[in-house]
Amino acid sequence: MTARILDGRAMAARWRDWTKAQVEAFRARTGRVPGLATVLIGDHPASQTYVQAKQNACAAAGIRTFNHCLPAEVDQETVMELLETLARNPEVHGILVQLPLPPHLDEEEILSAIPLEKDVDGFHPLNLGRLGLKGRDPYFIPCTPLGILAMLQEAGIPIAGRRAVILGRSRIVGLPMALLLLRLDATVTICHSRTSDLAAVTRQADLLIAAAGRPGLVRGEMVRPGAVVIDVGISRVADPQALRGYRLVGDVVFEEVAAVAGAITPVPGGVGPMTVAMLLVNTLKAAQRQVEGFASPWLEPGPARPV
Ligand code: NAP
């Protein structure tokens, strides 16, 4: 193996510590506590795990959570009413609706009902649009792309002028990742399920970000020697040896790609912990902005430092 391992767990722990200290300072200044409302609809096991992990991380950082679990068959009107209540609640600074939603619900209407300043996931169409527009700043950048950016910056990996290839174009990862890297002057190519000759595209990448949710998609021969490979994918594959009967794998065949790449993120222990850490950072910033009228810039040049 030649690739340097980018340790998301260690990086995320530093961000969580930083957030905890900032939350404490915020409380000392304002007498207030940042608050995050989570809305979980249905009983999707992975979603339950993610929401629980986010709530635990908030509690450890001193962020208050307001947890709402709704049954899978809940109607659109009930969800919209809940969001209106949360939007008005001054103790709630951030609102997170865990995706995916049951298919009968109108995702667009639900995400658009979250006020921009409480949209800590950054999925509101206006936040996403602003991310893509030069000269405009979103209130929030979605947590996974933001976490990846923080990892790249901490590892000293340059972005401007580099060729970035992203596998996936979802609202959660692929699209905002592409917009963010474009904003930072990378030359960006987005691939998806209809891309032909994927390997010919991925081999051009200085920075390859795999967010397709397809285990085994990225093989060693698809990677340019020395490239930086970020594996966002998280899939459960059956494993009778594992305690829970499954294990988590990414999109990248780790051993093959680590032998070629310059740097790589593992799964688990790569992007996942950074996603949760960035939710804490976004919630803190939401509270600062709403209570203190303070907004720090998002995209500062140079090595990462908590802003
Ligand atoms: P998604 O909504 O299902 O999107 C998957 C994207 O991958 C789609 O754009 C799809 O193309 C594309 N795709 C599918 N097969 C492909 C292929 N063979 N070649 C190239 N592109 C392909 O999934 P998502 O929500 O973005 O999540 C992607 C993965 O990241 C999942 O494994 C998820 O669990 C994981 N994830 C991890 C984190 C984390 O913190 N680490 C956070 C969020 C998500 P089309 O648009 O053409 O369908």
Side-chain angles (χ1 to χ4, degrees):
M1 180 161 69
T2 59
R4 166 183 172 200
I5 308 291
L6 303 179
D7 182 349
R9 278 200 189 107
M11 292 184 190
R14 287 194 282 279
W15 278 96
R16 286 199 308 269
D17 288 348
W18 175 83
T19 309
K20 186 177 178 187
Q22 292 296 314
V23 166
E24 195 44 53
F26 174 79
R27 201 157 69 95
R29 284 195 307 272
T30 65
R32 306 276 301 274
V33 175
L36 174 72
T38 60
V39 180
L40 174 63
I41 304 175
D43 46 16
H44 195 276
S47 292
Q48 286 173 334
T49 309
Y50 293 145
V51 169
Q52 188 62 55
K54 291 167 186 177
Q55 288 168 357
N56 294 347
C58 281
I63 294 173
R64 188 174 167 201
T65 52
F66 302 79
N67 307 320
H68 297 269
C69 295
L70 301 175
E73 58 280 4
V74 69
D75 58 34
Q76 182 79 13
E77 206 185 336
T78 307
V79 180
M80 296 301 286
E81 279 168 14
L82 172 61
L83 291 177
E84 274 164 35
T85 309
L86 296 174
R88 280 197 305 271
N89 185 345
E91 302 302 315
V92 170
H93 303 106
I95 302 172
L96 175 157
V97 178
Q98 185 67 36
L99 300 179
L101 297 175
H104 69 279
L105 293 175
D106 182 344
E107 180 182 295
E108 201 54 44
E109 190 184 32
I110 287 172
L111 295 180
S112 299
I114 298 172
L116 283 184
E117 67 277 11
K118 296 192 178 187
D119 178 34
V120 286
D121 258 341
F123 296 157
H124 190 293
L126 268 176
N127 269 327
L128 279 174
R130 286 181 182 182
L131 182 59
L133 291 172
K134 234 182 168 158
R136 299 287 183 91
D137 278 328
Y139 281 75
F140 300 100
I141 295 170
C143 300
T144 302
L146 188 60
I148 292 170
L149 174 61
M151 291 181 93
L152 295 174
Q153 289 193 332
E154 183 169 337
I157 293 165
I159 295 172
R162 310 310 294 277
R163 193 173 285 267
V165 173
I166 297 157
L167 310 186
R169 55 177 163 181
S170 73
R171 180 196 282 256
I172 299 176
V173 192
L175 184 65
M177 188 77 245
L179 296 175
L180 184 56
L181 292 174
L182 192 60
R183 213 178 159 97
L184 295 169
D185 297 324
T187 302
V188 177
T189 304
I190 305 176
C191 301
H192 45 76
S193 64
R194 305 290 299 274
T195 299
S196 57
D197 200 357
L198 192 64
V201 184
T202 59
R203 272 196 290 268
Q204 294 179 13
D206 301 310
L207 176 58
L208 177 60
I209 299 184
R214 297 279 180 275
L217 178 66
V218 180
R219 311 292 309 252
E221 71 268 14
M222 295 167 70
V223 174
R224 198 180 61 71
V228 174
V229 179
I230 306 291
D231 191 354
V232 186
I234 302 180
S235 302
R236 291 181 177 191
V237 297
D239 182 354
Q241 315 283 13
L243 209 59
R244 286 175 292 190
Y246 67 86
R247 65 195 159 84
L248 298 179
V249 296
D251 289 352
V252 173
V253 181
F254 186 84
E255 294 73 19
E256 281 183 24
V257 173
V260 185
I264 188 169
T265 61
V267 176
V271 175
M274 286 299 284
T275 297
V276 178
M278 291 302 118
L279 176 66
L280 305 182
V281 172
N282 276 356
T283 303
L284 167 72
K285 288 189 176 190
Q288 288 175 330
R289 187 184 283 116
Q290 285 160 58
V291 175
E292 302 182 285
F294 152 88
S296 51
W298 285 109
L299 303 170
E300 291 188 316
R305 56 198 155 88
V307 287

